[in-house]
Amino acid sequence: KKAHKTGNPADTFEYDDDLPGGGQFYCVETGKHFADAKALADHKKSRYYKRRCKELKEEKYSQQTAEWASGMTKEVLPPAHGMKK
C-alpha cells in the first residue's frame, strides 16, 4: 500500500528500528507509522483518516479569498490630481 501511495516500491524504504513496524507501514495522509499491516488497514477505516482525506481534497483558502470574505475589497480609484496633458 505504501508503494501505491508514494510511487516508490516498499523495499526502497530503509528499515528503521526507532519507528513502529520498522517504518514499513506508513500512512501518507496522516503522517503516522504503524506496527503492522493490520493496524494500518484498521487506521484507514477510522473516522480520523477519513476526515483527514476529506480535508486534503478541499481547496485551500488564498489571501485574496480571505480579504474578500472579510469585506476588504480592492477599489480602483481615479487619479487624485486628474490626467496631466
Side-chain angles (χ1 to χ4, degrees):
K1 297 203 187 246
K2 186 175 183 180
H4 176 68
K5 293 288 183 189
T6 61
N8 296 329
D11 56 47
T12 62
F13 294 99
E14 294 181 20
Y15 188 86
D16 188 356
D17 285 330
D18 296 334
L19 297 172
Q24 300 300 307
F25 305 100
Y26 180 71
C27 178
V28 176
E29 292 83 4
T30 58
K32 291 186 176 187
H33 291 276
F34 295 92
D36 56 10
K38 183 179 181 331
L40 179 60
D42 290 344
H43 166 71
K44 293 204 178 217
K45 294 177 186 175
S46 71
R47 181 182 303 166
Y48 174 72
Y49 173 80
K50 291 176 183 178
R51 281 185 185 167
R52 180 68 179 145
C53 288
K54 183 178 178 183
E55 188 178 290
L56 289 173
K57 289 178 186 176
E58 290 179 2
E59 185 177 333
K60 303 293 180 211
Y61 292 111
S62 65
Q63 184 63 34
Q64 183 180 6
T65 306
E67 289 174 358
W68 174 81
S70 68
M72 297 175 57
T73 58
K74 295 181 181 178
E75 297 181 47
V76 179
L77 301 173
H81 301 289
M83 299 286 292
K84 292 185 180 181
K85 292 182 181 181

